[in-house]
Short mmCIF file of all heavy atoms in Angstrom, two decimals:
data_model
loop_
_atom_site.label_atom_id
_atom_site.label_comp_id
_atom_site.label_asym_id
_atom_site.label_seq_id
_atom_site.Cartn_x
_atom_site.Cartn_y
_atom_site.Cartn_z
N ILE A 843 -14.67 -13.69 -4.43
CA ILE A 843 -15.70 -14.54 -5.03
C ILE A 843 -16.05 -15.76 -4.18
O ILE A 843 -17.20 -16.19 -4.15
CB ILE A 843 -15.31 -14.93 -6.47
CG1 ILE A 843 -16.51 -15.50 -7.22
CG2 ILE A 843 -14.13 -15.89 -6.50
CD1 ILE A 843 -16.39 -15.42 -8.72
N THR A 844 -15.08 -16.30 -3.43
CA THR A 844 -15.39 -17.48 -2.61
C THR A 844 -15.18 -17.25 -1.12
O THR A 844 -15.78 -17.93 -0.29
CB THR A 844 -14.55 -18.70 -3.04
OG1 THR A 844 -13.17 -18.33 -3.02
CG2 THR A 844 -14.93 -19.18 -4.44
N ILE A 845 -14.31 -16.29 -0.77
CA ILE A 845 -14.00 -16.06 0.65
C ILE A 845 -14.85 -14.93 1.19
O ILE A 845 -14.68 -13.76 0.80
CB ILE A 845 -12.49 -15.76 0.83
CG1 ILE A 845 -11.65 -16.89 0.23
CG2 ILE A 845 -12.15 -15.55 2.31
CD1 ILE A 845 -10.17 -16.57 0.11
N LYS A 846 -15.79 -15.24 2.05
CA LYS A 846 -16.75 -14.23 2.50
C LYS A 846 -16.23 -13.39 3.67
O LYS A 846 -16.68 -12.25 3.85
CB LYS A 846 -18.07 -14.91 2.91
CG LYS A 846 -18.70 -15.75 1.78
CD LYS A 846 -19.01 -14.90 0.56
CE LYS A 846 -19.28 -15.75 -0.67
NZ LYS A 846 -19.23 -14.99 -1.93
N ASP A 847 -15.30 -13.93 4.44
CA ASP A 847 -14.75 -13.17 5.57
C ASP A 847 -13.90 -12.01 5.04
O ASP A 847 -12.99 -12.23 4.23
CB ASP A 847 -13.90 -14.08 6.45
CG ASP A 847 -13.20 -13.30 7.55
OD1 ASP A 847 -13.91 -12.79 8.43
OD2 ASP A 847 -11.95 -13.18 7.51
N PRO A 848 -14.20 -10.75 5.45
CA PRO A 848 -13.49 -9.60 4.87
C PRO A 848 -11.97 -9.64 5.08
O PRO A 848 -11.22 -9.30 4.16
CB PRO A 848 -14.10 -8.38 5.56
CG PRO A 848 -15.27 -8.85 6.33
CD PRO A 848 -15.24 -10.34 6.41
N ALA A 849 -11.51 -10.03 6.26
CA ALA A 849 -10.07 -10.02 6.53
C ALA A 849 -9.36 -11.07 5.67
O ALA A 849 -8.34 -10.79 5.03
CB ALA A 849 -9.81 -10.26 8.01
N ALA A 850 -9.92 -12.26 5.64
CA ALA A 850 -9.32 -13.34 4.83
C ALA A 850 -9.45 -13.01 3.34
O ALA A 850 -8.53 -13.26 2.56
CB ALA A 850 -10.00 -14.66 5.15
N GLY A 851 -10.59 -12.44 2.98
CA GLY A 851 -10.81 -12.05 1.59
C GLY A 851 -9.81 -11.00 1.15
O GLY A 851 -9.23 -11.08 0.07
N ASN A 852 -9.59 -10.02 2.02
CA ASN A 852 -8.63 -8.95 1.73
C ASN A 852 -7.24 -9.52 1.45
O ASN A 852 -6.58 -9.13 0.49
CB ASN A 852 -8.58 -8.00 2.93
CG ASN A 852 -7.59 -6.87 2.75
OD1 ASN A 852 -7.85 -5.90 2.06
ND2 ASN A 852 -6.41 -7.00 3.36
N LYS A 853 -6.86 -10.47 2.24
CA LYS A 853 -5.55 -11.11 2.10
C LYS A 853 -5.42 -11.81 0.74
O LYS A 853 -4.44 -11.65 0.03
CB LYS A 853 -5.38 -12.15 3.22
CG LYS A 853 -4.02 -12.17 3.86
CD LYS A 853 -4.05 -13.09 5.06
CE LYS A 853 -2.65 -13.55 5.40
NZ LYS A 853 -2.67 -14.54 6.50
N GLN A 854 -6.46 -12.56 0.40
CA GLN A 854 -6.44 -13.28 -0.88
C GLN A 854 -6.51 -12.31 -2.06
O GLN A 854 -5.85 -12.51 -3.08
CB GLN A 854 -7.60 -14.29 -0.93
CG GLN A 854 -7.61 -15.14 -2.19
CD GLN A 854 -6.33 -15.96 -2.37
OE1 GLN A 854 -5.85 -16.58 -1.43
NE2 GLN A 854 -5.76 -15.94 -3.57
N LEU A 855 -7.31 -11.23 -1.90
CA LEU A 855 -7.45 -10.25 -2.98
C LEU A 855 -6.11 -9.60 -3.33
O LEU A 855 -5.83 -9.34 -4.50
CB LEU A 855 -8.47 -9.18 -2.58
CG LEU A 855 -9.94 -9.63 -2.66
CD1 LEU A 855 -10.83 -8.72 -1.82
CD2 LEU A 855 -10.42 -9.65 -4.10
N LEU A 856 -5.28 -9.38 -2.32
CA LEU A 856 -3.97 -8.77 -2.57
C LEU A 856 -3.09 -9.72 -3.39
O LEU A 856 -2.34 -9.29 -4.27
CB LEU A 856 -3.28 -8.40 -1.25
CG LEU A 856 -3.93 -7.23 -0.50
CD1 LEU A 856 -3.36 -7.10 0.90
CD2 LEU A 856 -3.75 -5.92 -1.27
N LYS A 857 -3.22 -11.01 -3.11
CA LYS A 857 -2.49 -12.02 -3.90
C LYS A 857 -3.04 -12.04 -5.33
O LYS A 857 -2.28 -12.09 -6.30
CB LYS A 857 -2.66 -13.41 -3.27
CG LYS A 857 -1.83 -13.63 -2.02
CD LYS A 857 -2.00 -15.07 -1.51
CE LYS A 857 -1.48 -15.20 -0.09
NZ LYS A 857 -1.97 -16.44 0.56
N ASP A 858 -4.37 -12.03 -5.44
CA ASP A 858 -5.01 -12.06 -6.76
C ASP A 858 -4.58 -10.86 -7.60
O ASP A 858 -4.37 -10.97 -8.81
CB ASP A 858 -6.54 -12.06 -6.61
CG ASP A 858 -7.06 -13.32 -5.92
OD1 ASP A 858 -6.28 -14.28 -5.77
OD2 ASP A 858 -8.25 -13.31 -5.54
N LEU A 859 -4.47 -9.72 -6.93
CA LEU A 859 -4.06 -8.48 -7.59
C LEU A 859 -2.67 -8.66 -8.21
O LEU A 859 -2.44 -8.31 -9.37
CB LEU A 859 -4.04 -7.37 -6.54
CG LEU A 859 -4.13 -5.93 -7.00
CD1 LEU A 859 -5.45 -5.67 -7.71
CD2 LEU A 859 -4.00 -5.00 -5.80
N LYS A 860 -1.76 -9.23 -7.43
CA LYS A 860 -0.39 -9.49 -7.93
C LYS A 860 -0.41 -10.47 -9.09
O LYS A 860 0.38 -10.36 -10.02
CB LYS A 860 0.47 -10.05 -6.79
CG LYS A 860 1.14 -8.97 -5.99
CD LYS A 860 2.23 -9.52 -5.09
CE LYS A 860 2.69 -8.44 -4.12
NZ LYS A 860 2.97 -9.01 -2.78
N ASN A 861 -1.31 -11.44 -9.02
CA ASN A 861 -1.39 -12.46 -10.06
C ASN A 861 -2.20 -12.00 -11.28
O ASN A 861 -2.30 -12.73 -12.27
CB ASN A 861 -2.01 -13.75 -9.51
CG ASN A 861 -1.08 -14.42 -8.50
OD1 ASN A 861 0.14 -14.28 -8.60
ND2 ASN A 861 -1.65 -15.11 -7.54
N GLY A 862 -2.78 -10.82 -11.19
CA GLY A 862 -3.48 -10.26 -12.35
C GLY A 862 -4.85 -10.85 -12.61
O GLY A 862 -5.35 -10.78 -13.74
N SER A 863 -5.48 -11.41 -11.59
CA SER A 863 -6.83 -11.93 -11.78
C SER A 863 -7.62 -11.79 -10.49
O SER A 863 -7.40 -12.51 -9.52
CB SER A 863 -6.76 -13.40 -12.19
OG SER A 863 -8.07 -13.93 -12.26
N VAL A 864 -8.54 -10.83 -10.49
CA VAL A 864 -9.32 -10.50 -9.29
C VAL A 864 -10.79 -10.84 -9.56
O VAL A 864 -11.38 -10.29 -10.49
CB VAL A 864 -9.17 -9.00 -8.95
CG1 VAL A 864 -10.07 -8.60 -7.80
CG2 VAL A 864 -7.71 -8.67 -8.62
N LYS A 865 -11.34 -11.75 -8.80
CA LYS A 865 -12.75 -12.12 -8.99
C LYS A 865 -13.53 -11.79 -7.73
O LYS A 865 -13.15 -12.19 -6.63
CB LYS A 865 -12.86 -13.61 -9.33
CG LYS A 865 -12.28 -13.87 -10.70
CD LYS A 865 -12.48 -15.30 -11.17
CE LYS A 865 -11.97 -15.41 -12.60
NZ LYS A 865 -11.23 -16.61 -12.85
N ILE A 866 -14.62 -11.03 -7.92
CA ILE A 866 -15.34 -10.49 -6.78
C ILE A 866 -16.85 -10.60 -6.97
O ILE A 866 -17.33 -10.81 -8.08
CB ILE A 866 -14.97 -8.99 -6.56
CG1 ILE A 866 -15.27 -8.17 -7.82
CG2 ILE A 866 -13.49 -8.86 -6.18
CD1 ILE A 866 -15.08 -6.67 -7.66
N VAL A 867 -17.56 -10.42 -5.85
CA VAL A 867 -19.02 -10.29 -5.90
C VAL A 867 -19.36 -8.89 -5.41
O VAL A 867 -18.95 -8.51 -4.31
CB VAL A 867 -19.71 -11.35 -5.01
CG1 VAL A 867 -21.23 -11.20 -5.08
CG2 VAL A 867 -19.29 -12.75 -5.42
N MET A 868 -20.07 -8.14 -6.23
CA MET A 868 -20.39 -6.76 -5.88
C MET A 868 -21.82 -6.65 -5.39
O MET A 868 -22.72 -7.29 -5.93
CB MET A 868 -20.17 -5.84 -7.09
CG MET A 868 -18.75 -5.94 -7.62
SD MET A 868 -18.38 -4.76 -8.91
CE MET A 868 -18.21 -3.26 -7.93
N ASN A 869 -22.00 -5.79 -4.39
CA ASN A 869 -23.33 -5.54 -3.87
C ASN A 869 -23.54 -4.02 -3.83
O ASN A 869 -23.45 -3.40 -2.78
CB ASN A 869 -23.49 -6.19 -2.49
CG ASN A 869 -24.87 -5.99 -1.94
OD1 ASN A 869 -25.83 -5.74 -2.69
ND2 ASN A 869 -25.00 -6.07 -0.64
N GLY A 870 -23.76 -3.46 -4.99
CA GLY A 870 -23.98 -2.02 -5.11
C GLY A 870 -25.42 -1.76 -5.45
O GLY A 870 -26.27 -2.67 -5.41
N GLU A 871 -25.72 -0.50 -5.79
CA GLU A 871 -27.07 -0.19 -6.23
C GLU A 871 -27.23 -0.52 -7.71
O GLU A 871 -28.29 -0.93 -8.16
CB GLU A 871 -27.38 1.29 -5.97
CG GLU A 871 -27.65 1.57 -4.49
CD GLU A 871 -27.53 3.04 -4.14
OE1 GLU A 871 -27.87 3.89 -5.00
OE2 GLU A 871 -27.08 3.35 -3.02
N LYS A 872 -26.15 -0.32 -8.45
CA LYS A 872 -26.19 -0.58 -9.90
C LYS A 872 -25.45 -1.86 -10.26
O LYS A 872 -25.93 -2.65 -11.05
CB LYS A 872 -25.59 0.61 -10.65
CG LYS A 872 -26.35 1.91 -10.46
CD LYS A 872 -25.79 2.99 -11.36
CE LYS A 872 -26.60 4.26 -11.26
NZ LYS A 872 -26.09 5.18 -10.21
N LEU A 873 -24.27 -2.01 -9.70
CA LEU A 873 -23.48 -3.20 -10.02
C LEU A 873 -23.70 -4.27 -8.96
O LEU A 873 -23.48 -4.04 -7.77
CB LEU A 873 -21.98 -2.85 -10.10
CG LEU A 873 -21.58 -1.84 -11.17
CD1 LEU A 873 -20.07 -1.77 -11.29
CD2 LEU A 873 -22.21 -2.15 -12.52
N LYS A 874 -24.16 -5.43 -9.43
CA LYS A 874 -24.43 -6.55 -8.53
C LYS A 874 -23.90 -7.83 -9.16
O LYS A 874 -23.86 -7.97 -10.38
CB LYS A 874 -25.94 -6.70 -8.30
CG LYS A 874 -26.56 -5.57 -7.49
CD LYS A 874 -28.07 -5.80 -7.35
CE LYS A 874 -28.81 -4.57 -6.89
NZ LYS A 874 -28.58 -4.21 -5.50
N GLY A 875 -23.54 -8.76 -8.30
CA GLY A 875 -23.12 -10.06 -8.77
C GLY A 875 -21.63 -10.14 -9.06
O GLY A 875 -20.86 -9.29 -8.63
N GLU A 876 -21.27 -11.17 -9.82
CA GLU A 876 -19.85 -11.47 -10.01
C GLU A 876 -19.21 -10.64 -11.13
O GLU A 876 -19.80 -10.47 -12.20
CB GLU A 876 -19.69 -12.96 -10.36
CG GLU A 876 -20.08 -13.88 -9.22
CD GLU A 876 -19.89 -15.35 -9.57
OE1 GLU A 876 -19.18 -15.65 -10.56
OE2 GLU A 876 -20.47 -16.19 -8.87
N PHE A 877 -18.01 -10.18 -10.84
CA PHE A 877 -17.20 -9.46 -11.82
C PHE A 877 -15.76 -9.98 -11.76
O PHE A 877 -15.31 -10.45 -10.71
CB PHE A 877 -17.15 -7.96 -11.51
CG PHE A 877 -18.41 -7.22 -11.89
CD1 PHE A 877 -19.51 -7.25 -11.04
CD2 PHE A 877 -18.49 -6.52 -13.08
CE1 PHE A 877 -20.67 -6.57 -11.38
CE2 PHE A 877 -19.64 -5.84 -13.42
CZ PHE A 877 -20.74 -5.86 -12.58
N ALA A 878 -15.06 -9.86 -12.87
CA ALA A 878 -13.64 -10.19 -12.91
C ALA A 878 -12.85 -9.01 -13.44
O ALA A 878 -13.32 -8.29 -14.33
CB ALA A 878 -13.41 -11.41 -13.80
N LEU A 879 -11.70 -8.80 -12.85
CA LEU A 879 -10.71 -7.85 -13.38
C LEU A 879 -9.51 -8.70 -13.77
O LEU A 879 -8.92 -9.38 -12.92
CB LEU A 879 -10.31 -6.85 -12.31
CG LEU A 879 -11.16 -5.59 -12.19
CD1 LEU A 879 -10.96 -4.97 -10.81
CD2 LEU A 879 -10.80 -4.58 -13.27
N VAL A 880 -9.18 -8.67 -15.04
CA VAL A 880 -8.11 -9.55 -15.54
C VAL A 880 -7.03 -8.69 -16.18
O VAL A 880 -7.31 -7.89 -17.08
CB VAL A 880 -8.67 -10.55 -16.57
CG1 VAL A 880 -7.59 -11.51 -17.03
CG2 VAL A 880 -9.86 -11.31 -15.99
N LYS A 881 -5.81 -8.88 -15.74
CA LYS A 881 -4.70 -8.10 -16.28
C LYS A 881 -4.34 -8.62 -17.67
O LYS A 881 -4.27 -9.84 -17.87
CB LYS A 881 -3.49 -8.19 -15.35
CG LYS A 881 -2.44 -7.16 -15.65
CD LYS A 881 -1.36 -7.17 -14.58
CE LYS A 881 -0.35 -6.08 -14.85
NZ LYS A 881 0.68 -6.04 -13.80
N MET A 882 -4.15 -7.70 -18.62
CA MET A 882 -3.81 -8.11 -19.97
C MET A 882 -2.35 -8.56 -20.01
O MET A 882 -1.49 -7.97 -19.37
CB MET A 882 -4.06 -6.96 -20.95
CG MET A 882 -5.55 -6.70 -21.13
SD MET A 882 -5.94 -5.19 -22.02
CE MET A 882 -5.64 -5.72 -23.70
N LYS A 883 -2.13 -9.61 -20.76
CA LYS A 883 -0.78 -10.17 -20.83
C LYS A 883 -0.06 -9.59 -22.03
O LYS A 883 -0.65 -9.32 -23.06
CB LYS A 883 -0.86 -11.69 -20.95
CG LYS A 883 -1.36 -12.32 -19.65
CD LYS A 883 -1.05 -13.81 -19.61
CE LYS A 883 -1.38 -14.37 -18.24
NZ LYS A 883 -2.76 -14.92 -18.18
N GLY A 884 1.24 -9.40 -21.88
CA GLY A 884 2.05 -8.88 -22.98
C GLY A 884 3.52 -8.99 -22.62
O GLY A 884 3.86 -9.45 -21.53
N ASP A 885 4.37 -8.58 -23.56
CA ASP A 885 5.81 -8.67 -23.31
C ASP A 885 6.26 -7.61 -22.31
O ASP A 885 7.13 -7.84 -21.50
CB ASP A 885 6.58 -8.49 -24.63
CG ASP A 885 6.23 -9.60 -25.61
OD1 ASP A 885 5.82 -10.68 -25.14
OD2 ASP A 885 6.34 -9.37 -26.83
N LYS A 886 5.63 -6.44 -22.43
CA LYS A 886 6.05 -5.33 -21.57
C LYS A 886 5.13 -5.23 -20.36
O LYS A 886 3.97 -5.64 -20.43
CB LYS A 886 6.00 -4.02 -22.37
CG LYS A 886 7.07 -3.94 -23.44
CD LYS A 886 6.87 -2.68 -24.26
CE LYS A 886 7.69 -2.75 -25.55
NZ LYS A 886 7.20 -1.83 -26.57
N PRO A 887 5.65 -4.65 -19.27
CA PRO A 887 4.77 -4.42 -18.12
C PRO A 887 3.61 -3.51 -18.53
O PRO A 887 3.80 -2.59 -19.32
CB PRO A 887 5.67 -3.69 -17.11
CG PRO A 887 7.06 -3.86 -17.60
CD PRO A 887 7.00 -4.14 -19.07
N THR A 888 2.44 -3.81 -18.03
CA THR A 888 1.27 -3.04 -18.45
C THR A 888 0.38 -2.71 -17.26
O THR A 888 0.38 -3.42 -16.26
CB THR A 888 0.46 -3.83 -19.51
OG1 THR A 888 -0.73 -3.11 -19.80
CG2 THR A 888 0.06 -5.22 -19.00
N ASN A 889 -0.36 -1.61 -17.40
CA ASN A 889 -1.37 -1.26 -16.40
C ASN A 889 -2.76 -1.61 -16.91
O ASN A 889 -3.75 -1.24 -16.30
CB ASN A 889 -1.32 0.24 -16.10
CG ASN A 889 -0.05 0.62 -15.39
OD1 ASN A 889 0.49 -0.16 -14.62
ND2 ASN A 889 0.45 1.82 -15.67
#
Side-chain angles (χ1 to χ4, degrees):
I843 195 158
T844 54
I845 304 169
K846 303 300 165 195
D847 174 66
N852 179 78
K853 222 172 158 185
Q854 183 59 46
L855 284 160
L856 290 169
K857 285 183 194 164
D858 296 348
L859 201 63
K860 272 193 190 142
N861 292 331
S863 175
V864 174
K865 291 186 175 139
I866 57 174
V867 180
M868 303 187 75
N869 182 22
E871 284 162 34
K872 297 187 176 91
L873 299 189
K874 291 179 195 289
E876 294 181 16
F877 284 81
L879 272 159
V880 184
K881 195 172 183 178
M882 289 169 79
K883 291 197 172 93
D885 298 335
K886 290 175 194 159
T888 175
N889 292 328

